[in-house]
Amino acid sequence: MSISTASKALNNTGRMGDETRERVKRAAADIGFRPNALAKGLLSNRTFTIGLLTNDTYGRFTLPVMAGITEALVDHGVSVFLCTIEDDPALGKVHVDAMLDKHVDGIIASGKRIDRRLPVDLSNLPVPVIYAFTEGAPGSVTFCADDYQGAALAAEWLQGLGRRRIAHVTGPESFVSVRERAKAYRDLAGDGLPVMYGTWSEAWGHDAVAQLWSVTGAKPDAIFCGNDQIARAVVDALRERGVRVPEDVSVVGFDNWEIVAAQTRPPLTTVDMNLKALGREAGLTVLALAEGRSVEPGIRTLPCELIVRQSCGGSPGR
Amino acid sequence: MSISTASKALNNTGRMGDETRERVKRAAADIGFRPNALAKGLLSNRTFTIGLLTNDTYGRFTLPVMAGITEALVDHGVSVFLCTIEDDPALGKVHVDAMLDKHVDGIIASGKRIDRRLPVDLSNLPVPVIYAFTEGAPGSVTFCADDYQGAALAAEWLQGLGRRRIAHVTGPESFVSVRERAKAYRDLAGDGLPVMYGTWSEAWGHDAVAQLWSVTGAKPDAIFCGNDQIARAVVDALRERGVRVPEDVSVVGFDNWEIVAAQTRPPLTTVDMNLKALGREAGLTVLALAEGRSVEPGIRTLPCELIVRQSCGGSPGR
DNA sequence: TCAACTAGAGAAAAGCTTTTCTCAAAAATT
DNA sequence: AATTTTTGAGAAAAGCTTTTCTCTAGTTGA
């Protein structure tokens, strides 16, 4: 039995007797034969391997993205190198070089905010690069969540519940996401209340509540928070003041970070950016590029989703 | 110029004139030549690639371990496939098969508790397997944190601060880690107070405080918690009751999960399991095995470390 | 001046698959 | 029965490096 015949039998290519083909397959199964992906890759220029580059050390955003990528690609036999670079250009280069040496089929760059680049040059690489939840190079394919739509979802939900004096306590104005969310808030629910910019910390959530409740006059009946950590602190601060959530004030978070949103009392109604779906899209896109299919460049915005828990009142159906 | 001469020049092997060697190197640098790792791997049976298998979807434990592995191995040119399998044996097999096809140099299995196996058979694999923060097969190399020592660290710290009535609020007794920590607590500080087993949730932390403060008589002057989430809830519950932390009661957590420990008010003094160091050791060990060096099998226990913040009083120097 | 070495460079094989080409034998056609 | 066609299988090359072996030309010593 020649090697080439065996190869053809296993790949269902070439022409040969059914009996021979079956015999080869059985024998291969018997000895537990596994084709060497290295040899295959050497020949086909496909390694069924991609690299995921990120500077999100905690994995807050990258892990869901990664889960999506893996979910989409595992069926295609693709494995993922995860490379965490801590805003260190040298480390970034080392990892990218290692990935290129290993002939990854493509690279997905990810991060922790959509208006910052990774500290590494990914232009003119011999493999396709796509960006997910990080700023992409001009002319590249970039996936990100629709902050405006997500914030609108929150604002509309609060209004649908009858809330009229809605405050917005959010992160630093330097973030594009913050500005987008604030814009949606102002367009839909910003009736006179100024947006309160701060930091992404619980401390800021406490502070903000203190500020809101220190002034005389009507208090907000809802607070839309820039992320779940702020929302959690807001809920805690309100409770400490004897303000009931959700009876007196509804609170909405952003991110749907289970670990925070579900542990808050009451659990947070919050906006989910669908990072897993984003990862899936990114994975399928990089695969398409790796296979030579052409993909329209540009920024693809994926819709957010409102996860209804108990911090607003209302129920999933409204 | 022949290919073999070039190869020898670049690898500093063979004998040839210095001038020739330099010329080759310069030319290689000029055209940006990168040796193909696939071809190299085909020949040497080393791919400089390892797989990290885990069922810890949130990455709470796996990400620090991964960071350690990467840190230790990136200098050796090793890249890491991260495969998250959600307690799904079929998915596990798919990932392991994909890794074997790609001829990883080794596999590190990790998880979210040290007394559970991953739902996938890693025995009799053609590559070395080592276990980090998950239960290993008999005769394997396993790394884990020293729960007893870590808990002892906490207990001794509290005693050193003059605390005498120390309570222990922890997770489910079914966890080996819980039992180990409770043992250390009882050996060192369990003067009559029963260990309070519960769940790994903030709700349980609140409950436990309610229980402790509902009985008449002397209250604890310190609470050693089984993880940071419980500790956080304990601190919150105490504050809500008007009990001052750390003046009236000292609280110690476990895990040093920054996201929780640092956001708690006051920030938590807590036990760090040094998962990054654990990852480093695991990485170096799997590399050693891949290189054919022999490694003593058994369970390697790495010491924990106390991270002093403000929930106990005291200062890093005591 | 000739023999024996040595230095430097190239040729070839190995590692594992897939694919294309070739070839022999069997089947079908005239 | 002879020729063409089809079928099944093997040989060889390609993909990229490294390593071992071979060979030529130049050098050294007698």
Side-chain angles (χ1 to χ4, degrees), chain B residues 106-128:
Chain B
I107 292 179
I108 299 178
S110 190
K112 46 192 174 188
R113 57 186 285 190
I114 60 170
D115 50 355
R116 281 290 181 276
R117 296 270 182 86
L118 292 186
V120 54
D121 181 21
L122 297 175
S123 55
N124 302 317
L125 256 43
V127 298

Side-chain angles (χ1 to χ4, degrees), chain B residues 27-51:
Chain B
D30 279 356
I31 63 168
F33 171 79
R34 322 193 61 104
N36 185 330
L38 292 156
K40 236 181 200 160
L42 197 53
L43 205 52
S44 64
N45 266 318
R46 286 293 309 283
T47 55
F48 294 91
T49 283
I50 69 160

Side-chain angles (χ1 to χ4, degrees), chain A residues 126-211:
Chain A
V127 299
V129 176
I130 84 129
Y131 298 83
F133 208 77
T134 191
E135 187 177 324
S140 63
V141 183
T142 305
F143 289 91
C144 62
D146 191 337
D147 284 299
Y148 187 95
Q149 173 265 347
L153 226 47
E156 283 162 2
W157 178 252
L158 290 171
Q159 291 179 322
L161 292 168
R163 303 303 187 177
R164 288 298 170 264
R165 287 186 53 76
I166 304 175
H168 183 34
V169 178
T170 185
E173 197 174 358
S174 58
F175 281 64
V176 159
S177 291
V178 166
R179 297 200 295 274
E180 278 295 301
R181 294 172 197 174
K183 185 146 150 269
Y185 160 76
R186 267 193 301 259
D187 289 351
L188 288 159
D191 44 354
L193 288 177
V195 175
M196 301 173 73
Y197 300 103
T199 66
W200 294 122
S201 67
E202 293 198 33
W204 163 235
H206 280 276
D207 260 25
V209 169
Q211 284 180 34

Side-chain angles (χ1 to χ4, degrees), chain B residues 52-110:
Chain B
L52 176 58
L53 208 60
T54 178
N55 62 353
D56 172 25
T57 325
Y58 284 113
R60 164 69 195 89
F61 304 107
T62 296
L63 273 187
V65 171
M66 163 108 193
I69 296 172
T70 304
E71 187 181 299
L73 298 188
V74 72
D75 299 329
H76 300 264
V78 175
S79 306
V80 182
F81 288 122
L82 178 60
C83 303
T84 310
I85 59 176
E86 339 231 349
D87 291 311
D88 176 347
L91 188 58
K93 185 157 164 40
V94 169
H95 273 127
V96 170
D97 284 351
M99 294 196 285
L100 292 180
D101 285 347
K102 280 155 194 152
H103 281 226
V104 293
D105 291 336
I107 292 179
I108 299 178
S110 190

Side-chain angles (χ1 to χ4, degrees), chain A residues 73-234:
Chain A
L73 298 188
V74 72
D75 299 329
H76 300 264
V78 175
S79 306
V80 182
F81 288 122
L82 178 59
C83 302
T84 310
I85 58 176
E86 338 232 349
D87 291 313
D88 176 348
L91 189 58
K93 184 155 166 41
V94 168
H95 272 127
V96 171
D97 284 351
M99 294 195 287
L100 293 180
D101 285 347
K102 280 152 195 155
H103 282 226
V104 293
D105 291 337
I107 292 178
I108 299 178
S110 190
K112 47 192 173 188
R113 57 185 285 190
I114 60 170
D115 50 355
R116 282 288 180 276
R117 296 271 182 86
L118 291 187
V120 53
D121 181 22
L122 296 175
S123 56
N124 302 317
L125 255 43
V127 299
V129 176
I130 84 129
Y131 298 83
F133 208 77
T134 191
E135 187 177 324
S140 63
V141 183
T142 305
F143 289 91
C144 62
D146 191 337
D147 284 299
Y148 187 95
Q149 173 265 347
L153 226 47
E156 283 162 2
W157 178 252
L158 290 171
Q159 291 179 322
L161 292 168
R163 303 303 187 177
R164 288 298 170 264
R165 287 186 53 76
I166 304 175
H168 183 34
V169 178
T170 185
E173 197 174 358
S174 58
F175 281 64
V176 159
S177 291
V178 166
R179 297 200 295 274
E180 278 295 301
R181 294 172 197 174
K183 185 146 150 269
Y185 160 76
R186 267 193 301 259
D187 289 351
L188 288 159
D191 44 354
L193 288 177
V195 175
M196 301 173 73
Y197 300 103
T199 66
W200 294 122
S201 67
E202 293 198 33
W204 163 235
H206 280 276
D207 260 25
V209 169
Q211 284 180 34
L212 284 166
W213 260 255
S214 68
V215 299
T216 54
K219 303 288 184 285
D221 56 8
I223 304 180
F224 168 38
C225 301
N227 78 355
D228 286 344
Q229 280 181 280
I230 293 174
R232 169 178 189 153
V234 162

Side-chain angles (χ1 to χ4, degrees), chain A residues 1-2 4-5 8 15-17 20 39 42-43:
Chain A
M1 175 60 39
S2 82
S4 46
T5 305
K8 281 177 286 193
R15 51 187 186 185
M16 67 179 51
T20 310
L42 197 54
L43 204 54

Side-chain angles (χ1 to χ4, degrees), chain A residues 58-72:
Chain A
Y58 283 113
R60 165 70 196 89
F61 303 107
T62 295
L63 273 187
V65 171
M66 164 109 194
I69 296 172
T70 304
E71 186 181 299

